Amino acid sequence: MGREQWKKIWVGSAGNMVEWFDWFVYATFAVYFADAFFPEGNETANLMNTMGIFAVGFFMRPVGGWLLGRIGDRKGRKAALTLTVTLMSASAILIAVAPTYDVAGYGGVAVLMLARLLQGLSVGGEYAASATYLTEASAPEKRGFASSFQYVSMTAGQLVGLGLQIVLQRNMSDAALHSWGWRIPFVVGALGAAIVFYLRRSMLETEVYAESGAAGQEDRGTLKALWQHRREAFLVMALTMGGTVAYYTYTTYLTKFLSKSAGMDKSTASLVSFCALFVFMCIQPLAGMLSDRIGRRPLLITFAVGSTFLTVPIMTMLRHASTFWPALGLALLALVVVTGYTSINACVKAELFPTGIRALGVGLSYAVANALFGGTAEYVALWFKNAGAESGFYWYVAGCAAVSLIVYLSMRETRDIDLNRVAAAGQPQGQPQQSGATSVTPAS
């Protein structure tokens, strides 16, 4: 892969990393600030309230997927990507300065809620814009590899957040972290977003979009146009269901699960997550390259089979893994299985839609599925735990994967779809792809 291709991947992924750093540090630092915004009481109940606000952000993601997907299809991928990082910077600043319950009562909760709403809008649009950009800007025979960097950047953002958490845990007292130290990552996130905003001002528009004629379509980026491809939209929601639940179970929830359920101290739990996620990040491009050779469906099916039958035993053993190495081994096993979904889900979804509604189709459909399943995963897990039936969550995750397995078995292969032949809404899909790279042109 040439220098120009790497530049496109870097520009398309850098902002994604900052977006997901800001998104995930809320979840990873929730154990420290959960009590700051609510009256003293049950620790688990306060964490549930805080994660309930986390879930609210997911319910704004469909709005972000619609609004910013529409902008991406009507104004271009660059316009959407620049706006998403602006919204994320504003939300990070709000959380960093949010007043605690002792200072402003429930006023702090209101600020926290507003910040999460903005984050939901931003991330809902970011997924659509980055998935579309990375898929369209890559060579046809390397779309799986290029789009895998969406989860590389997402995971890198989470790793930076976890790494910062480990540094703070080792250099600050527990009391200081609960008092004010939890605000530090949100300040870092706001500064990172400002840097990415500068980088994205000079990014290039994809040639697929610029030359497709999509800019001249009156119904581009509209729900009316998307309705003509409603089958693909529902397919995206169904194939996302199992993947998003499994992903959030073994990433954002893993640290809390090891700490609250397995009895592991917070710093060790964070280190387990960090090491597991680092390996997970490194294998994404390898799986993406594999999909370019053998197709997308084999990887998706492997993920679904593994997640359906291995989730319950893995989670059961993790529940009793109170030391570092057993927990790391189990977490790695789970994340290797999840890689079958994460490494290629961006390009699979983008390949299903024509150019004129690609950003909207990917963004809205994916965001709806995440609102229903991904955003509620931790809350469902905590609900089962609070009810004294924690193992019920394990079966819930396995059940969601089983539903997606049915979809993977029945869907068509998307690897050989030529994006240039589906440039306009309503054109048939599934034509053989042409050889050669898909380049980008300067955005106006």
Side-chain angles (χ1 to χ4, degrees), residues 11-53:
V11 173
S13 302
N16 202 36
M17 181 180 72
V18 175
E19 291 264 4
W20 289 94
F21 168 85
D22 287 338
W23 181 260
F24 281 121
V25 291
Y26 181 100
T28 56
F29 278 84
V31 292
Y32 292 107
F33 66 76
D35 293 332
F37 295 98
F38 298 96
E40 292 185 8
N42 184 281
E43 183 179 350
T44 301
N46 283 347
L47 185 57
M48 286 181 67
N49 288 332
T50 307
M51 296 317 299
I53 297 176

mmCIF file of all heavy atoms in Angstrom, residues 11-53:
data_model
loop_
_atom_site.group_PDB
_atom_site.id
_atom_site.type_symbol
_atom_site.label_atom_id
_atom_site.label_comp_id
_atom_site.label_asym_id
_atom_site.label_seq_id
_atom_site.Cartn_x
_atom_site.Cartn_y
_atom_site.Cartn_z
ATOM 1 N N VAL A 11 -5.892 10.088 7.921
ATOM 2 C CA VAL A 11 -6.816 11.221 8.028
ATOM 3 C C VAL A 11 -8.221 10.743 8.399
ATOM 4 O O VAL A 11 -8.912 11.358 9.203
ATOM 5 C CB VAL A 11 -6.851 12.020 6.706
ATOM 6 C CG1 VAL A 11 -7.937 13.090 6.752
ATOM 7 C CG2 VAL A 11 -5.508 12.673 6.454
ATOM 8 N N GLY A 12 -8.630 9.622 7.810
ATOM 9 C CA GLY A 12 -9.959 9.111 8.112
ATOM 10 C C GLY A 12 -10.083 8.514 9.498
ATOM 11 O O GLY A 12 -11.179 8.448 10.055
ATOM 12 N N SER A 13 -8.949 8.084 10.075
ATOM 13 C CA SER A 13 -8.988 7.384 11.362
ATOM 14 C C SER A 13 -8.632 8.248 12.563
ATOM 15 O O SER A 13 -9.091 7.963 13.677
ATOM 16 C CB SER A 13 -8.032 6.185 11.333
ATOM 17 O OG SER A 13 -8.345 5.293 10.302
ATOM 18 N N ALA A 14 -7.808 9.275 12.369
ATOM 19 C CA ALA A 14 -7.312 10.067 13.502
ATOM 20 C C ALA A 14 -8.450 10.662 14.321
ATOM 21 O O ALA A 14 -8.462 10.591 15.550
ATOM 22 C CB ALA A 14 -6.382 11.172 13.004
ATOM 23 N N GLY A 15 -9.402 11.255 13.624
ATOM 24 C CA GLY A 15 -10.535 11.834 14.339
ATOM 25 C C GLY A 15 -11.378 10.780 15.029
ATOM 26 O O GLY A 15 -11.916 11.005 16.113
ATOM 27 N N ASN A 16 -11.483 9.622 14.393
ATOM 28 C CA ASN A 16 -12.237 8.529 14.985
ATOM 29 C C ASN A 16 -11.634 8.124 16.320
ATOM 30 O O ASN A 16 -12.348 7.808 17.279
ATOM 31 C CB ASN A 16 -12.240 7.346 14.021
ATOM 32 C CG ASN A 16 -13.390 6.398 14.260
ATOM 33 O OD1 ASN A 16 -14.488 6.799 14.601
ATOM 34 N ND2 ASN A 16 -13.136 5.114 14.074
ATOM 35 N N MET A 17 -10.301 8.135 16.407
ATOM 36 C CA MET A 17 -9.626 7.777 17.644
ATOM 37 C C MET A 17 -9.994 8.753 18.770
ATOM 38 O O MET A 17 -10.311 8.336 19.888
ATOM 39 C CB MET A 17 -8.108 7.779 17.447
ATOM 40 C CG MET A 17 -7.322 7.393 18.696
ATOM 41 S SD MET A 17 -5.536 7.399 18.441
ATOM 42 C CE MET A 17 -5.246 9.170 18.339
ATOM 43 N N VAL A 18 -9.971 10.046 18.471
ATOM 44 C CA VAL A 18 -10.310 11.042 19.485
ATOM 45 C C VAL A 18 -11.779 10.954 19.870
ATOM 46 O O VAL A 18 -12.155 11.066 21.043
ATOM 47 C CB VAL A 18 -9.969 12.463 18.984
ATOM 48 C CG1 VAL A 18 -10.421 13.518 19.985
ATOM 49 C CG2 VAL A 18 -8.482 12.589 18.741
ATOM 50 N N GLU A 19 -12.638 10.744 18.859
ATOM 51 C CA GLU A 19 -14.076 10.611 19.127
ATOM 52 C C GLU A 19 -14.320 9.498 20.133
ATOM 53 O O GLU A 19 -15.063 9.654 21.102
ATOM 54 C CB GLU A 19 -14.817 10.291 17.820
ATOM 55 C CG GLU A 19 -14.846 11.421 16.811
ATOM 56 C CD GLU A 19 -16.108 12.232 16.902
ATOM 57 O OE1 GLU A 19 -16.925 11.962 17.805
ATOM 58 O OE2 GLU A 19 -16.289 13.135 16.074
ATOM 59 N N TRP A 20 -13.693 8.346 19.893
ATOM 60 C CA TRP A 20 -13.952 7.194 20.749
ATOM 61 C C TRP A 20 -13.185 7.254 22.053
ATOM 62 O O TRP A 20 -13.597 6.632 23.036
ATOM 63 C CB TRP A 20 -13.683 5.907 19.973
ATOM 64 C CG TRP A 20 -14.729 5.707 18.938
ATOM 65 C CD1 TRP A 20 -14.689 6.074 17.626
ATOM 66 C CD2 TRP A 20 -16.036 5.159 19.141
ATOM 67 N NE1 TRP A 20 -15.877 5.774 17.004
ATOM 68 C CE2 TRP A 20 -16.716 5.214 17.902
ATOM 69 C CE3 TRP A 20 -16.694 4.613 20.243
ATOM 70 C CZ2 TRP A 20 -18.019 4.749 17.747
ATOM 71 C CZ3 TRP A 20 -17.991 4.145 20.079
ATOM 72 C CH2 TRP A 20 -18.632 4.216 18.850
ATOM 73 N N PHE A 21 -12.106 7.997 22.110
ATOM 74 C CA PHE A 21 -11.460 8.273 23.392
ATOM 75 C C PHE A 21 -12.449 9.002 24.300
ATOM 76 O O PHE A 21 -12.693 8.603 25.442
ATOM 77 C CB PHE A 21 -10.205 9.129 23.181
ATOM 78 C CG PHE A 21 -9.640 9.688 24.470
ATOM 79 C CD1 PHE A 21 -8.778 8.942 25.245
ATOM 80 C CD2 PHE A 21 -9.985 10.966 24.901
ATOM 81 C CE1 PHE A 21 -8.256 9.445 26.435
ATOM 82 C CE2 PHE A 21 -9.477 11.491 26.082
ATOM 83 C CZ PHE A 21 -8.614 10.728 26.852
ATOM 84 N N ASP A 22 -13.040 10.071 23.781
ATOM 85 C CA ASP A 22 -14.007 10.843 24.565
ATOM 86 C C ASP A 22 -15.228 9.999 24.942
ATOM 87 O O ASP A 22 -15.771 10.114 26.040
ATOM 88 C CB ASP A 22 -14.460 12.076 23.783
ATOM 89 C CG ASP A 22 -13.378 13.139 23.707
ATOM 90 O OD1 ASP A 22 -12.479 13.122 24.569
ATOM 91 O OD2 ASP A 22 -13.436 13.969 22.792
ATOM 92 N N TRP A 23 -15.653 9.161 24.008
ATOM 93 C CA TRP A 23 -16.845 8.338 24.237
ATOM 94 C C TRP A 23 -16.586 7.294 25.324
ATOM 95 O O TRP A 23 -17.407 7.088 26.216
ATOM 96 C CB TRP A 23 -17.235 7.648 22.938
ATOM 97 C CG TRP A 23 -18.461 6.792 23.012
ATOM 98 C CD1 TRP A 23 -18.511 5.434 23.141
ATOM 99 C CD2 TRP A 23 -19.823 7.232 22.954
ATOM 100 N NE1 TRP A 23 -19.812 5.000 23.156
ATOM 101 C CE2 TRP A 23 -20.638 6.082 23.040
ATOM 102 C CE3 TRP A 23 -20.431 8.479 22.828
ATOM 103 C CZ2 TRP A 23 -22.021 6.145 23.013
ATOM 104 C CZ3 TRP A 23 -21.819 8.534 22.795
ATOM 105 C CH2 TRP A 23 -22.595 7.384 22.892
ATOM 106 N N PHE A 24 -15.435 6.650 25.267
ATOM 107 C CA PHE A 24 -15.167 5.544 26.174
ATOM 108 C C PHE A 24 -14.659 5.972 27.548
ATOM 109 O O PHE A 24 -14.844 5.235 28.514
ATOM 110 C CB PHE A 24 -14.162 4.567 25.547
ATOM 111 C CG PHE A 24 -14.772 3.643 24.539
ATOM 112 C CD1 PHE A 24 -14.326 3.621 23.232
ATOM 113 C CD2 PHE A 24 -15.799 2.782 24.892
ATOM 114 C CE1 PHE A 24 -14.883 2.774 22.296
ATOM 115 C CE2 PHE A 24 -16.370 1.928 23.963
ATOM 116 C CZ PHE A 24 -15.911 1.925 22.661
ATOM 117 N N VAL A 25 -13.994 7.134 27.652
ATOM 118 C CA VAL A 25 -13.502 7.510 28.977
ATOM 119 C C VAL A 25 -14.664 7.776 29.934
ATOM 120 O O VAL A 25 -14.516 7.648 31.148
ATOM 121 C CB VAL A 25 -12.557 8.737 28.941
ATOM 122 C CG1 VAL A 25 -11.252 8.390 28.282
ATOM 123 C CG2 VAL A 25 -13.220 9.944 28.297
ATOM 124 N N TYR A 26 -15.812 8.114 29.384
ATOM 125 C CA TYR A 26 -16.990 8.243 30.245
ATOM 126 C C TYR A 26 -17.259 6.914 30.938
ATOM 127 O O TYR A 26 -17.503 6.860 32.155
ATOM 128 C CB TYR A 26 -18.202 8.670 29.428
ATOM 129 C CG TYR A 26 -19.462 8.860 30.258
ATOM 130 C CD1 TYR A 26 -19.874 10.123 30.648
ATOM 131 C CD2 TYR A 26 -20.232 7.771 30.665
ATOM 132 C CE1 TYR A 26 -21.016 10.309 31.409
ATOM 133 C CE2 TYR A 26 -21.364 7.932 31.426
ATOM 134 C CZ TYR A 26 -21.752 9.196 31.799
ATOM 135 O OH TYR A 26 -22.878 9.367 32.568
ATOM 136 N N ALA A 27 -17.211 5.828 30.164
ATOM 137 C CA ALA A 27 -17.503 4.510 30.731
ATOM 138 C C ALA A 27 -16.381 4.034 31.655
ATOM 139 O O ALA A 27 -16.642 3.507 32.740
ATOM 140 C CB ALA A 27 -17.720 3.493 29.607
ATOM 141 N N THR A 28 -15.114 4.239 31.250
ATOM 142 C CA THR A 28 -14.014 3.717 32.045
ATOM 143 C C THR A 28 -13.791 4.497 33.341
ATOM 144 O O THR A 28 -13.312 3.942 34.327
ATOM 145 C CB THR A 28 -12.706 3.706 31.234
ATOM 146 O OG1 THR A 28 -12.429 5.025 30.756
ATOM 147 C CG2 THR A 28 -12.809 2.761 30.056
ATOM 148 N N PHE A 29 -14.143 5.788 33.345
ATOM 149 C CA PHE A 29 -13.972 6.588 34.553
ATOM 150 C C PHE A 29 -15.265 6.724 35.358
ATOM 151 O O PHE A 29 -15.289 7.410 36.378
ATOM 152 C CB PHE A 29 -13.444 7.989 34.200
ATOM 153 C CG PHE A 29 -11.954 8.024 33.991
ATOM 154 C CD1 PHE A 29 -11.410 7.680 32.766
ATOM 155 C CD2 PHE A 29 -11.096 8.383 35.016
ATOM 156 C CE1 PHE A 29 -10.043 7.694 32.561
ATOM 157 C CE2 PHE A 29 -9.724 8.400 34.830
ATOM 158 C CZ PHE A 29 -9.194 8.054 33.596
ATOM 159 N N ALA A 30 -16.323 6.049 34.908
ATOM 160 C CA ALA A 30 -17.603 6.155 35.609
ATOM 161 C C ALA A 30 -17.510 5.675 37.052
ATOM 162 O O ALA A 30 -18.204 6.192 37.933
ATOM 163 C CB ALA A 30 -18.674 5.356 34.861
ATOM 164 N N VAL A 31 -16.636 4.703 37.315
ATOM 165 C CA VAL A 31 -16.505 4.182 38.681
ATOM 166 C C VAL A 31 -15.982 5.249 39.635
ATOM 167 O O VAL A 31 -16.132 5.132 40.851
ATOM 168 C CB VAL A 31 -15.577 2.950 38.714
ATOM 169 C CG1 VAL A 31 -16.219 1.779 37.997
ATOM 170 C CG2 VAL A 31 -14.209 3.260 38.111
ATOM 171 N N TYR A 32 -15.348 6.303 39.087
ATOM 172 C CA TYR A 32 -14.796 7.361 39.929
ATOM 173 C C TYR A 32 -15.742 8.554 40.097
ATOM 174 O O TYR A 32 -15.721 9.215 41.132
ATOM 175 C CB TYR A 32 -13.459 7.853 39.362
ATOM 176 C CG TYR A 32 -12.364 6.822 39.460
ATOM 177 C CD1 TYR A 32 -11.906 6.142 38.336
ATOM 178 C CD2 TYR A 32 -11.796 6.502 40.691
ATOM 179 C CE1 TYR A 32 -10.909 5.184 38.436
ATOM 180 C CE2 TYR A 32 -10.799 5.536 40.802
ATOM 181 C CZ TYR A 32 -10.362 4.886 39.665
ATOM 182 O OH TYR A 32 -9.385 3.930 39.772
ATOM 183 N N PHE A 33 -16.548 8.854 39.086
ATOM 184 C CA PHE A 33 -17.400 10.035 39.230
ATOM 185 C C PHE A 33 -18.887 9.717 39.413
ATOM 186 O O PHE A 33 -19.715 10.621 39.494
ATOM 187 C CB PHE A 33 -17.209 11.008 38.055
ATOM 188 C CG PHE A 33 -17.661 10.502 36.704
ATOM 189 C CD1 PHE A 33 -18.993 10.450 36.350
ATOM 190 C CD2 PHE A 33 -16.715 10.122 35.750
ATOM 191 C CE1 PHE A 33 -19.400 10.015 35.105
ATOM 192 C CE2 PHE A 33 -17.106 9.691 34.491
ATOM 193 C CZ PHE A 33 -18.455 9.631 34.173
ATOM 194 N N ALA A 34 -19.239 8.423 39.486
ATOM 195 C CA ALA A 34 -20.651 8.064 39.637
ATOM 196 C C ALA A 34 -21.263 8.685 40.888
ATOM 197 O O ALA A 34 -22.401 9.170 40.868
ATOM 198 C CB ALA A 34 -20.808 6.544 39.670
ATOM 199 N N ASP A 35 -20.514 8.688 42.002
ATOM 200 C CA ASP A 35 -21.050 9.224 43.257
ATOM 201 C C ASP A 35 -21.028 10.743 43.313
ATOM 202 O O ASP A 35 -21.652 11.341 44.198
ATOM 203 C CB ASP A 35 -20.248 8.669 44.439
ATOM 204 C CG ASP A 35 -20.440 7.164 44.607
ATOM 205 O OD1 ASP A 35 -21.516 6.670 44.219
ATOM 206 O OD2 ASP A 35 -19.521 6.499 45.107
ATOM 207 N N ALA A 36 -20.313 11.394 42.381
ATOM 208 C CA ALA A 36 -20.176 12.845 42.425
ATOM 209 C C ALA A 36 -21.445 13.578 41.999
ATOM 210 O O ALA A 36 -21.683 14.711 42.411
ATOM 211 C CB ALA A 36 -19.010 13.294 41.541
ATOM 212 N N PHE A 37 -22.292 12.923 41.190
ATOM 213 C CA PHE A 37 -23.459 13.599 40.631
ATOM 214 C C PHE A 37 -24.780 13.164 41.247
ATOM 215 O O PHE A 37 -25.843 13.637 40.845
ATOM 216 C CB PHE A 37 -23.504 13.371 39.115
ATOM 217 C CG PHE A 37 -22.358 14.007 38.377
ATOM 218 C CD1 PHE A 37 -21.247 13.266 38.010
ATOM 219 C CD2 PHE A 37 -22.377 15.363 38.077
ATOM 220 C CE1 PHE A 37 -20.181 13.853 37.346
ATOM 221 C CE2 PHE A 37 -21.314 15.962 37.411
ATOM 222 C CZ PHE A 37 -20.218 15.212 37.051
ATOM 223 N N PHE A 38 -24.712 12.264 42.216
ATOM 224 C CA PHE A 38 -25.932 11.783 42.860
ATOM 225 C C PHE A 38 -25.750 11.779 44.375
ATOM 226 O O PHE A 38 -24.620 11.765 44.875
ATOM 227 C CB PHE A 38 -26.268 10.365 42.370
ATOM 228 C CG PHE A 38 -26.536 10.280 40.898
ATOM 229 C CD1 PHE A 38 -25.532 9.913 40.011
ATOM 230 C CD2 PHE A 38 -27.785 10.584 40.392
ATOM 231 C CE1 PHE A 38 -25.760 9.843 38.649
ATOM 232 C CE2 PHE A 38 -28.038 10.518 39.026
ATOM 233 C CZ PHE A 38 -27.029 10.146 38.157
ATOM 234 N N PRO A 39 -26.855 11.799 45.117
ATOM 235 C CA PRO A 39 -26.751 11.762 46.589
ATOM 236 C C PRO A 39 -26.082 10.476 47.047
ATOM 237 O O PRO A 39 -26.068 9.466 46.333
ATOM 238 C CB PRO A 39 -28.220 11.812 47.048
ATOM 239 C CG PRO A 39 -28.984 12.315 45.882
ATOM 240 C CD PRO A 39 -28.255 11.862 44.654
ATOM 241 N N GLU A 40 -25.496 10.511 48.239
ATOM 242 C CA GLU A 40 -24.866 9.317 48.780
ATOM 243 C C GLU A 40 -25.900 8.213 48.948
ATOM 244 O O GLU A 40 -27.028 8.454 49.363
ATOM 245 C CB GLU A 40 -24.217 9.638 50.136
ATOM 246 C CG GLU A 40 -23.025 10.569 50.046
ATOM 247 C CD GLU A 40 -22.359 10.764 51.391
ATOM 248 O OE1 GLU A 40 -22.739 10.043 52.341
ATOM 249 O OE2 GLU A 40 -21.479 11.632 51.499
ATOM 250 N N GLY A 41 -25.505 7.007 48.617
ATOM 251 C CA GLY A 41 -26.441 5.888 48.712
ATOM 252 C C GLY A 41 -25.788 4.621 48.217
ATOM 253 O O GLY A 41 -24.581 4.423 48.366
ATOM 254 N N ASN A 42 -26.581 3.770 47.572
ATOM 255 C CA ASN A 42 -26.095 2.498 47.071
ATOM 256 C C ASN A 42 -25.120 2.725 45.921
ATOM 257 O O ASN A 42 -25.450 3.368 44.922
ATOM 258 C CB ASN A 42 -27.292 1.647 46.599
ATOM 259 C CG ASN A 42 -26.860 0.263 46.142
ATOM 260 O OD1 ASN A 42 -26.372 0.100 45.030
ATOM 261 N ND2 ASN A 42 -27.051 -0.715 47.007
ATOM 262 N N GLU A 43 -23.911 2.197 46.025
ATOM 263 C CA GLU A 43 -22.875 2.428 45.014
ATOM 264 C C GLU A 43 -23.273 1.852 43.668
ATOM 265 O O GLU A 43 -23.080 2.480 42.622
ATOM 266 C CB GLU A 43 -21.554 1.814 45.486
ATOM 267 C CG GLU A 43 -20.388 2.053 44.534
ATOM 268 C CD GLU A 43 -19.089 1.453 45.030
ATOM 269 O OE1 GLU A 43 -19.054 1.022 46.207
ATOM 270 O OE2 GLU A 43 -18.119 1.410 44.257
ATOM 271 N N THR A 44 -23.852 0.649 43.675
ATOM 272 C CA THR A 44 -24.276 0.037 42.424
ATOM 273 C C THR A 44 -25.403 0.827 41.782
ATOM 274 O O THR A 44 -25.440 1.010 40.560
ATOM 275 C CB THR A 44 -24.734 -1.421 42.665
ATOM 276 O OG1 THR A 44 -23.655 -2.174 43.221
ATOM 277 C CG2 THR A 44 -25.176 -2.062 41.352
ATOM 278 N N ALA A 45 -26.328 1.346 42.612
ATOM 279 C CA ALA A 45 -27.437 2.143 42.081
ATOM 280 C C ALA A 45 -26.917 3.421 41.435
ATOM 281 O O ALA A 45 -27.393 3.835 40.366
ATOM 282 C CB ALA A 45 -28.418 2.479 43.200
ATOM 283 N N ASN A 46 -25.935 4.077 42.076
ATOM 284 C CA ASN A 46 -25.359 5.288 41.492
ATOM 285 C C ASN A 46 -24.651 4.983 40.176
ATOM 286 O O ASN A 46 -24.727 5.763 39.221
ATOM 287 C CB ASN A 46 -24.385 5.940 42.473
ATOM 288 C CG ASN A 46 -25.092 6.692 43.586
ATOM 289 O OD1 ASN A 46 -26.293 6.938 43.510
ATOM 290 N ND2 ASN A 46 -24.348 7.061 44.613
ATOM 291 N N LEU A 47 -23.946 3.853 40.121
ATOM 292 C CA LEU A 47 -23.286 3.467 38.882
ATOM 293 C C LEU A 47 -24.320 3.176 37.797
ATOM 294 O O LEU A 47 -24.131 3.525 36.634
ATOM 295 C CB LEU A 47 -22.395 2.245 39.120
ATOM 296 C CG LEU A 47 -21.530 1.786 37.935
ATOM 297 C CD1 LEU A 47 -20.625 2.912 37.461
ATOM 298 C CD2 LEU A 47 -20.714 0.556 38.311
ATOM 299 N N MET A 48 -25.434 2.566 38.192
ATOM 300 C CA MET A 48 -26.508 2.308 37.233
ATOM 301 C C MET A 48 -27.081 3.616 36.694
ATOM 302 O O MET A 48 -27.373 3.746 35.498
ATOM 303 C CB MET A 48 -27.611 1.459 37.871
ATOM 304 C CG MET A 48 -27.252 -0.003 38.070
ATOM 305 S SD MET A 48 -28.620 -0.962 38.795
ATOM 306 C CE MET A 48 -29.811 -0.924 37.456
ATOM 307 N N ASN A 49 -27.258 4.604 37.573
ATOM 308 C CA ASN A 49 -27.758 5.904 37.124
ATOM 309 C C ASN A 49 -26.793 6.551 36.132
ATOM 310 O O ASN A 49 -27.200 7.110 35.111
ATOM 311 C CB ASN A 49 -27.954 6.831 38.319
ATOM 312 C CG ASN A 49 -29.134 6.434 39.181
ATOM 313 O OD1 ASN A 49 -30.090 5.850 38.683
ATOM 314 N ND2 ASN A 49 -29.077 6.734 40.464
ATOM 315 N N THR A 50 -25.501 6.474 36.448
ATOM 316 C CA THR A 50 -24.489 7.062 35.579
ATOM 317 C C THR A 50 -24.451 6.345 34.236
ATOM 318 O O THR A 50 -24.327 6.981 33.182
ATOM 319 C CB THR A 50 -23.100 6.986 36.243
ATOM 320 O OG1 THR A 50 -23.178 7.550 37.554
ATOM 321 C CG2 THR A 50 -22.068 7.753 35.434
ATOM 322 N N MET A 51 -24.539 5.018 34.238
ATOM 323 C CA MET A 51 -24.526 4.270 32.992
ATOM 324 C C MET A 51 -25.850 4.429 32.252
ATOM 325 O O MET A 51 -25.919 4.258 31.033
ATOM 326 C CB MET A 51 -24.238 2.789 33.254
ATOM 327 C CG MET A 51 -22.843 2.531 33.843
ATOM 328 S SD MET A 51 -21.518 3.503 33.068
ATOM 329 C CE MET A 51 -21.623 2.913 31.370
ATOM 330 N N GLY A 52 -26.912 4.771 32.987
ATOM 331 C CA GLY A 52 -28.169 5.098 32.323
ATOM 332 C C GLY A 52 -28.003 6.337 31.459
ATOM 333 O O GLY A 52 -28.523 6.412 30.343
ATOM 334 N N ILE A 53 -27.265 7.332 31.976
ATOM 335 C CA ILE A 53 -26.959 8.526 31.187
ATOM 336 C C ILE A 53 -26.056 8.157 30.015
ATOM 337 O O ILE A 53 -26.189 8.700 28.913
ATOM 338 C CB ILE A 53 -26.296 9.606 32.077
ATOM 339 C CG1 ILE A 53 -27.282 10.057 33.166
ATOM 340 C CG2 ILE A 53 -25.850 10.808 31.239
ATOM 341 C CD1 ILE A 53 -26.688 11.043 34.157
#
